Amino acid sequence: MSKTTIAAVQMVSTPKVEENLDTARRLLAEAAGKGARLVTLPEYWPIMGMSDTDKVGHAERPGDGPIQEFMAAQAREHGFWLIGGTLPLASGEAGRVLNTTLVYDPEGQPASRYDKIHLFGFTRGSESYDEARTIVPGEAVGSFEAPFGRVGLSVCYDLRFPELYRAMGEVALIVVPAAFTHTTGLAHWEVLLRARAIENQCYVLASAQGGTHRNGRRTFGHSMMIGPWGEVLGQLPEGEGVVCGEIDTAVLAEVRQSLPALKHRKL
């Protein structure tokens, strides 16, 4: 079979980890019910605190903690690949964490890890963000081999740095768990996602936070799946839900054969 159903979960996460686990459990079951064989959660899905420092108190050590136990159990229960959005992992540095994507295989075993490299900073009027205050940047490119091909891992602000995606090599799918602000998302989210799909001739699956959170932050949502020709195959504007679509390796091959841009690269 050349086709594989994949899904992006969209959430409006709260400051309470237990609430977010319950929401994720329900939405992951919905994705499984739609036949998804690979599912991604959004950035910050386990906790969207009242302040940026709240996540530090929930940082887990690698391989140990309720958030990681939950993700492993969900992957095993539903028999799909689970890309765990991001969770806070201990960095060894006081007051700062790693913003980490963990991947679990259908048996619930750890399969890959990526620590977010590019940290968001934005100031306009009263709206201001500085992830570097509470997050230590990662250093290594992340990817893993799925049954349909290599999957490249990235997170939110990484989307603005195309060199990261080139460094992944040839991939069938790029995933982008995110919590884009409404301001920047309205201006740039879709065009950047489509650009990454077009220039890398691959599918893109973006799983977002989408709504107004209890801390007052408004995230853009619009979780979506994009094809290797740059077409939007499905999206969810705001609120909780699941976006599903099919990866078709035959379509991937046809796009790359008819327009062999990856082979034409000189740099």
Side-chain angles (χ1 to χ4, degrees), residues 168-243:
M168 294 173 181
E170 188 174 300
V171 294
L173 173 67
I174 288 168
V175 293
V176 190
F180 251 61
T181 70
H182 189 269
T183 301
T184 58
L186 189 63
H188 302 143
W189 173 246
E190 182 177 323
V191 69
L192 287 171
L193 289 170
R194 294 181 69 191
R196 298 297 86 84
I198 292 165
E199 68 197 10
N200 293 288
Q201 297 187 312
C202 67
Y203 288 89
V204 170
L205 184 67
S207 179
Q209 296 280 351
T212 301
H213 302 263
R214 291 181 194 168
N215 60 13
R217 178 174 177 177
R218 186 181 180 190
T219 46
F220 186 61
H222 291 79
S223 295
M224 65 179 70
M225 181 174 174
I226 299 168
W229 196 245
E231 70 278 33
V232 177
L233 302 176
Q235 68 174 300
L236 175 64
E238 284 192 319
E240 298 173 354
V242 175
V243 175

Side-chain angles (χ1 to χ4, degrees), residues 115-180:
D115 300 326
K116 184 179 181 181
I117 292 173
H118 301 99
L119 303 183
F120 183 53
F122 175 75
T123 300
R124 179 183 289 175
S126 62
E127 189 175 11
S128 181
Y129 304 94
D130 182 8
E131 287 188 324
R133 288 183 299 186
T134 55
I135 297 174
V136 175
E139 298 178 347
V141 176
S143 66
F144 69 96
E145 292 294 332
F148 52 78
R150 184 185 295 169
V151 179
L153 301 172
S154 64
V155 177
C156 200
Y157 193 49
D158 284 333
L159 189 58
R160 296 181 182 273
F161 301 90
E163 62 272 21
L164 172 66
Y165 300 91
R166 288 299 197 205
M168 294 173 181
E170 188 174 300
V171 294
L173 173 67
I174 288 168
V175 293
V176 190
F180 251 61

